[in-house]
Amino acid sequence: MPDEHTENIFEKELLKESIFVDRNLLSPHFTPKELPFREKQINEISSILAPLVHKKKPNNLFAYGKPGAGKTAVTTKVLNQLLEFSVSKNLGIFGSYVNCRTHNKKYRVMLKMAKDFYPEENFLGFSAAFIYEKVLDFARRGKDLVIVLDEIDKVKDVDDLVYSLTRANDEIKSGSITIIGISNNLMFKEQLDPRTKSSLCEHEMVFPPYNANELKEILTQRAQKAFKQGVVEESAISLASAIAAQESGDARTAVMLLLRAGEVAERKNSSKVTDEEVKKAKNKVEEEIILSMISTLPQQEQLVLLAIASLSLQNKGIKKITGHIEEGVLFSGEIYEEYTRISKAYKEETVSARWYREYISELEMYGLILTTASGKGIRGQTRLIKLGFDAKKIKDAIEKEIIA
DNA sequence: CCTCCACAGGAAGCGCAGGAGT
DNA sequence: ACTCCTGCGCTTCCTGTGGAGG
């Protein structure tokens, strides 16, 4: 027997050859230098911001498009180039990138801006008005500020925020503040106050989703750098881009698919990423999405979903409808009963049947369940409800979520 | 045919948290 | 600090609907 106890069990891990060169290139947070098929958008944003070079105030910009269409990547790239240029020519242009998912109130946005413009100072606990003045002061010294508000639809008091920022331009003489708003939500613009809308949307831009060919090109470029040579089969890339294009044209999930496929291959010590790994990865990614959807659901809706899942697992879904047998179909009423039973078991409150129906509609909108109106074979009028995904996975996920 | 069933989904209103106004 | 107001989540009540069953 070799002297096993002198060899650390992690030694093997080091020796194991990875199929990755740099997996960080596939991380969702990584922004590539090259942004293929977005030249038009890059040019458009830079020409909007161009007046700054001549000390003129540019139009505000509102950019929208589905997730993973390159909105953030393009804007930050242009902004960074602008800031670099400003430093080299001493133009006094400053930028602040604010992700409104985390900075979801006017105060927080202002705080983030203040921190960016005064990196040395700490503003924690100062009043909103003070911070606002501080930011304005910065601009008063003849500085031109560009504020990128990513996921701007997440800000609770957008109207107020945009109004304050645009009005600042009237108060200050030499400097300026330009807003770039980014949103996934196509309807967002319509819920704005008309004045906010007109000032924010001085210029509008749409980011179209990528098609399968474009995604293929993007994935090929990334795979070349992230994986070792010859690891990823071309057909695997084609498949991944086809899947992503069909679902949303989202570059981020396409890249995620590739990363997961690589991880699948690595785990089973395969040196190749083929169609098979991509298919497995697709399942994994789907699971992750389900899981994250479930975790954001209100607790009562989780309980309703749990009721549906556990009834499905008990094979209560097998129904005889006008002779033939239907599988996995549940009646609205029996689910409500099961839901109240489960809720009591967990010592939770239960909502009324009416509100439960609202939950059902919501779960359907999320695609977690499928419903059809009852027809012949069933007395009365009810909804036939089916689970959209694997019952056991959903049940496990929710039970974990509720205990936590 | 009428009645009952088993729901769907609209309307009104209630209690509460949190923001605006003073 | 205080009221006032408003939006939200929800309940209660109600009317509507389409097939089953007598």
Side-chain angles (χ1 to χ4, degrees):
Chain A
M1 214 194 239
D3 49 344
E4 270 181 71
H5 38 283
T6 59
E7 185 190 314
N8 190 295
I9 48 170
F10 291 103
E11 205 71 40
K12 277 193 293 224
E13 193 61 37
L14 260 185
L15 294 173
K16 202 155 97 187
E17 255 197 67
S18 173
I19 53 170
F20 290 106
V21 175
D22 185 354
R23 67 196 291 153
N24 286 333
L25 298 181
L26 300 175
S27 141
H29 308 291
F30 172 77
T31 312
K33 284 200 189 76
E34 299 301 319
L35 298 168
F37 312 108
R38 295 283 100 127
E39 294 85 5
K40 194 170 149 250
Q41 281 78 11
I42 292 176
N43 289 338
E44 196 170 339
I45 296 191
S46 31
S47 69
I48 291 164
L49 293 179
L52 281 172
V53 175
H54 309 292
K55 283 268 149 204
K56 282 191 194 127
K57 158 88 178 82
N59 280 339
N60 293 325
L61 167 68
F62 180 58
Y64 58 96
K66 290 198 178 163
K71 303 179 296 294
T72 306
V74 165
T75 3
T76 46
K77 179 182 170 142
V78 174
L79 181 65
N80 285 337
Q81 294 230 347
L82 177 68
L83 297 181
E84 267 173 43
F85 188 70
S86 163
V87 169
S88 69
K89 304 275 170 183
N90 206 9
L91 293 170
I93 303 169
F94 288 80
S96 175
Y97 169 86
V98 184
N99 187 331
C100 302
R101 188 197 291 267
T102 44
H103 304 86
N104 58 355
K105 286 196 284 195
K106 179 185 171 186
Y107 177 74
R108 293 193 187 170
V109 172
M110 288 290 190
L111 197 62
K112 173 70 168 55
M113 287 166 59
K115 272 186 190 158
D116 281 352
F117 297 137
Y118 301 90
E120 305 299 316
E121 291 181 53
N122 189 358
F123 294 100
L124 220 69
F126 282 85
S127 80
F130 179 82
I131 293 171
Y132 177 64
E133 274 308 309
K134 224 30 191 167
V135 170
L136 241 65
D137 263 345
F138 194 77
R140 280 201 190 95
R141 292 183 228 147
K143 307 236 160 71
D144 293 304
L145 313 182
V146 180
I147 318 290
V148 177
L149 299 174
D150 204 350
E151 302 198 55
I152 188 171
D153 48 319
K154 294 287 185 303
V155 180
K156 313 255 188 220
D157 41 3
V158 213
D159 288 312
D160 200 4
L161 174 66
V162 174
Y163 178 71
S164 297
L165 289 177
T166 49
R167 201 192 44 161
N169 281 306
D170 308 327
E171 281 182 31
I172 52 185
K173 282 149 224 139
S174 45
S176 73
I177 295 179
T178 304
I179 309 171
I180 300 180
I182 302 176
S183 171
N184 300 330
N185 186 348
L186 308 177
M187 299 308 293
F188 167 69
K189 200 180 71 173
E190 305 312 319
Q191 354 174 330
L192 287 172
D193 184 291
R195 282 176 309 167
T196 315
K197 190 173 152 188
S198 68
S199 54
L200 178 61
C201 304
E202 286 172 340
H203 196 105
E204 280 181 49
M205 261 180 84
V206 183
F207 282 72
Y210 297 102
N211 63 37
N213 285 333
E214 291 167 344
L215 285 173
K216 193 175 168 184
E217 178 65 35
I218 292 170
L219 287 186
T220 307
Q221 278 189 23
R222 292 273 199 116
Q224 258 167 22
K225 288 181 184 162
F227 288 95
K228 288 196 176 141
Q229 190 111 43
V231 164
V232 187
E233 288 188 356
E234 202 192 322
S235 71
I237 290 188
S238 299
L239 180 61
S241 24
I243 292 170
Q246 193 195 355
E247 309 229 313
S248 54
D250 176 345
R252 199 162 10 187
T253 58
V255 171
M256 177 73 86
L257 208 52
L258 197 58
L259 171 64
R260 291 285 180 262
E263 285 171 355
V264 169
E266 190 149 78
R267 201 158 307 128
K268 61 179 189 189
N269 288 319
S270 164
S271 56
K272 284 263 176 197
V273 175
T274 66
D275 287 15
E276 195 192 327
E277 279 76 31
V278 172
K279 279 177 199 155
K280 284 212 179 105
K282 189 198 171 202
N283 283 332
K284 275 191 138 282
V285 170
E286 261 170 20
E287 254 174 67
E288 282 168 28
I289 293 169
I290 296 172
L291 224 73
S292 74
M293 276 179 78
I294 287 176
S295 67
T296 58
L297 245 39
Q299 199 188 25
Q300 292 295 318
E301 274 178 53
Q302 293 182 0
L303 288 167
V304 171
L305 199 57
L306 178 59
I308 300 171
S310 74
L311 283 179
S312 304
L313 287 174
Q314 294 165 39
N315 289 324
K316 291 279 169 57
I318 298 167
K319 297 276 149 56
K320 272 174 283 174
I321 297 168
T322 53
H324 77 287
I325 289 170
E326 193 88 5
E327 241 183 280
V329 183
L330 297 160
F331 296 146
S332 170
E334 62 182 342
I335 295 171
Y336 183 67
E337 273 174 35
E338 176 71 4
Y339 151 74
T340 48
R341 206 186 59 73
I342 291 178
S343 294
K344 274 182 195 133
Y346 282 108
K347 300 214 169 19
E348 295 291 339
E349 304 276 307
T350 58
V351 294
S352 67
R354 177 68 190 85
W355 201 245
Y356 150 80
R357 275 172 233 140
E358 294 294 315
Y359 282 162
I360 290 292
S361 308
E362 215 165 301
L363 289 172
E364 189 189 14
M365 283 206 312
Y366 294 142
L368 290 165
I369 59 172
L370 308 162
T371 80
T372 38
S374 67
K376 282 170 200 160
I378 297 149
R379 92 141 92 93
Q381 193 189 40
T382 182
R383 276 164 101 173
L384 302 179
I385 295 159
K386 248 188 191 176
L387 217 46
F389 300 94
D390 183 70
K392 182 137 182 29
K393 276 177 194 158
I394 289 187
K395 192 179 176 217
D396 291 348
I398 299 174
E399 276 171 350
K400 229 181 272 171
E401 194 71 32
I402 290 175
I403 292 161

